[in-house]
Amino acid sequence: MEILVVCPEAGNWEKPSPLATAVNRMAEAFGRAGVSALTCSPFYKTHLLDTKSYQCIYRGKERLQGRDYEVWKSPNDPLHTYIYNEEYFGRPYAYGPPHDVPYGDNHLRFAFLASAVLSFAAATSKKIDAILGHEWGGALAGALTQTIYNKEFGNVPFFFTVHNINYDFHVGASEIEKIGLPPKDFNMDGYEFWGKVSILKAGIFYANKVLFPSMGYREAMLNTNLAGGLSGFLSHNRDKLIGVQFGVSYRIWDFNRQQRLPIKEAKHTAKLALAQKIKRDIVNKLTLYVHLDEEAGNTSETLATILSDMAKLDMFIIVGIAPTHPEWNYYKDFSKQYPEVMYVQELEPEFESVTNLRDTMAGADVLFAANLREPSSSIILKAMATGTLPLTGIGVGVASLLDDYAPETAGCANAFLVEDANAPHQMLRRLKDVLEVYHEETADWDKAVVNAYGGFHYEWDRTISKYLLIFGELGL
């Protein structure tokens, strides 16, 4: 099978974004599954490592804007192919300066990307069985297969992965033909959004199937107000929407991968190391980790509401938070006032913090995760890869795949779940249940840790196997 992948971020970045990381893991998993995936993204010289190793292997002219493009590859980066045009991709930022207005021509830049990728595939006579677009930056490939690249790809299924519904780019109706969209579909059932063009809607509209990064996220898109104003449109297209849980890389997050100790011993060793690192006596206490990054959603608000009650319980709280977080001073002051209750761990940039985060979660017993904003809830999978049990809500991302603890489900449980993780009283009540199991039902606790660490293993290969099953349903 030959899959053509169009995405705005991918490859060997110096500081990988969450999107680039996910696409990279998919590319690796496609390869392990024996699938040939031509993964194409812009050649950002300011973002990629070792740019001197790359060479231009092809030059062409795409059909949409009639612009020249180059195709770059490196023997050190065999899974990725890059499209370059100096005017569009020779800029210092992928979309625009951070925390500032995006580049005004982003719609033209990523329409060009889709056109150049399709042009390259057509010119090199590659037989493409499926096309996969990622996020709004890869959305226009589906529309172009129905217009100027119809001859080569009109019958090729287009699959579209929406990593986060909140990311979109809107342009005026005057730009429709410039980005290759059929004017007839500029309506509320097509790609129109409040009088403008929604590139994300275009990707969904022209896709055969739309893939979300977890089943829980798909349900949230259809049944809550999280869908960025697209609830009606998504409901109208619900039959093509599929939730496929994104995985994590266990070679990175499995803290016990090298030593292969019995998990109870490995957790004890990790807790001793964590206690020494933070200089707190936590070995005989339930240790709770709270990760307050930008994807933590309402976790901080829920924690703050019940923190005074939690401080009275026999437990220790570690809060991972960046100094730039608006609640940094609040948690820092609390930890100074109650050092026997809380420790604040400063979060590093994501690309630097993997080892520290893994070791902290390995030393903890429970991950406190309220209404996460992260669609795939990967922090929960990462915690489970360290044998740490999640305390979260049944509607949070991956939670639909988890087994809640109850006395009658003790043998298979791997999590503690509540109906609404955004309800502080539910989280506090369930936390008291956690403490009871930890201190009094130790056999049940040990079994739950085993289930979380060894019984629930969601690698990226599982994600891609589900992708391939979905592709196969269309006869590929």
Side-chain angles (χ1 to χ4, degrees), residues 93 95-102 294 324:
Y93 307 106
Y95 306 101
H99 314 298
D100 203 347
V101 178
E294 60 183 16
T324 55

Side-chain angles (χ1 to χ4, degrees), residues 193-212:
F193 185 79
W194 293 94
K196 290 189 174 183
V197 173
S198 164
I199 296 181
L200 187 72
K201 279 190 73 177
I204 295 170
F205 180 75
Y206 292 107
N208 295 83
K209 296 292 182 182
V210 180
L211 310 171
F212 287 99

Side-chain angles (χ1 to χ4, degrees), residues 111-175:
F112 165 82
L113 171 67
S115 179
V117 172
L118 293 171
S119 173
F120 174 58
T124 52
S125 301
K126 289 187 176 293
K127 183 186 180 302
I128 302 299
D129 298 299
I131 299 171
L132 174 62
H134 287 282
E135 288 289 65
W136 73 263
L140 293 171
L144 295 181
T145 64
Q146 304 305 307
T147 54
I148 58 176
Y149 293 96
N150 180 265
K151 180 180 178 181
E152 296 91 343
F153 305 112
N155 294 320
V156 177
F158 175 63
F159 299 88
F160 184 49
T161 298
V162 178
H163 294 247
N164 192 318
I165 201 76
N166 293 315
Y167 297 135
D168 196 358
F169 196 80
H170 300 149
V171 295
S174 61
E175 304 293 290

Side-chain angles (χ1 to χ4, degrees), residues 41-340:
S41 61
F43 188 48
Y44 297 120
K45 294 181 180 180
T46 56
H47 290 69
L48 289 166
L49 288 169
D50 190 26
T51 54
K52 293 182 180 179
S53 71
Y54 292 85
Q55 297 180 0
C56 178
I57 63 167
Y58 183 85
R59 289 182 173 88
K61 186 185 294 289
E62 51 81 38
R63 299 175 194 170
L64 179 61
Q65 301 173 21
R67 290 180 179 268
D68 294 330
Y69 67 89
E70 298 176 348
V71 179
W72 288 65
K73 290 280 291 183
S74 168
N76 300 328
D77 185 15
L79 294 177
H80 299 277
T81 300
Y82 300 92
I83 303 296
Y84 188 68
N85 174 277
E86 176 65 25
E87 180 181 352
Y88 281 161
F89 301 132
R91 306 178 189 184
Y93 307 106
Y95 306 101
H99 314 298
D100 203 347
V101 178
Y103 295 132
D105 63 348
N106 274 346
H107 59 298
L108 301 177
R109 297 171 69 226
F110 293 102
F112 165 82
L113 171 67
S115 179
V117 172
L118 293 171
S119 173
F120 174 58
T124 52
S125 301
K126 289 187 176 293
K127 183 186 180 302
I128 302 299
D129 298 299
I131 299 171
L132 174 62
H134 287 282
E135 288 289 65
W136 73 263
L140 293 171
L144 295 181
T145 64
Q146 304 305 307
T147 54
I148 58 176
Y149 293 96
N150 180 265
K151 180 180 178 181
E152 296 91 343
F153 305 112
N155 294 320
V156 177
F158 175 63
F159 299 88
F160 184 49
T161 298
V162 178
H163 294 247
N164 192 318
I165 201 76
N166 293 315
Y167 297 135
D168 196 358
F169 196 80
H170 300 149
V171 295
S174 61
E175 304 293 290
I176 288 174
E177 295 188 12
K178 295 179 184 178
I179 56 178
L181 292 174
K184 66 181 179 63
D185 296 323
F186 183 64
N187 54 64
M188 64 181 297
D189 292 328
Y191 54 78
E192 182 266 341
F193 185 79
W194 293 94
K196 290 189 174 183
V197 173
S198 164
I199 296 181
L200 187 72
K201 279 190 73 177
I204 295 170
F205 180 75
Y206 292 107
N208 295 83
K209 296 292 182 182
V210 180
L211 310 171
F212 287 99
S214 70
M215 291 184 289
Y217 193 59
R218 177 194 181 272
E219 294 306 307
M221 292 303 95
L222 292 172
N223 301 310
T224 72
N225 60 357
L226 297 177
L230 298 180
S231 296
F233 175 74
L234 293 174
S235 293
H236 182 69
N237 289 277
R238 66 186 307 128
D239 289 344
K240 69 165 70 172
L241 310 183
I242 303 174
V244 178
Q245 179 62 48
F246 279 9
V248 296
S249 180
Y250 280 75
R251 64 183 173 81
I252 295 173
W253 292 101
D254 182 354
F255 80 112
N256 192 32
R257 183 168 174 263
Q258 298 297 327
Q259 291 184 300
R260 281 290 167 233
L261 298 172
I263 186 59
K264 186 174 182 178
E265 180 182 348
K267 289 289 289 182
H268 180 69
T269 301
K271 199 166 193 176
L272 287 173
L274 180 60
Q276 184 176 13
K277 176 183 175 181
I278 67 175
K279 297 179 173 59
R280 298 288 193 280
D281 182 14
I282 64 172
V283 175
N284 296 314
K285 285 188 174 183
L286 178 90
T287 302
L288 185 107
Y289 178 67
V290 191
H291 192 65
L292 298 182
D293 64 358
E294 60 183 16
E295 301 290 353
N298 293 331
T299 298
S300 180
E301 289 85 344
T302 303
L303 175 65
T305 302
I306 59 176
L307 189 54
S308 60
D309 292 300
M310 294 170 64
K312 301 171 186 176
L313 302 176
D314 184 21
M315 58 181 295
F316 189 82
I317 306 164
I318 299 175
V319 176
I321 189 171
T324 55
H325 193 285
E327 302 300 326
W328 165 266
N329 289 333
Y330 171 74
Y331 291 113
K332 196 69 175 174
D333 290 345
F334 189 95
S335 67
K336 289 179 180 178
Q337 187 175 359
Y338 301 101
E340 74 284 0

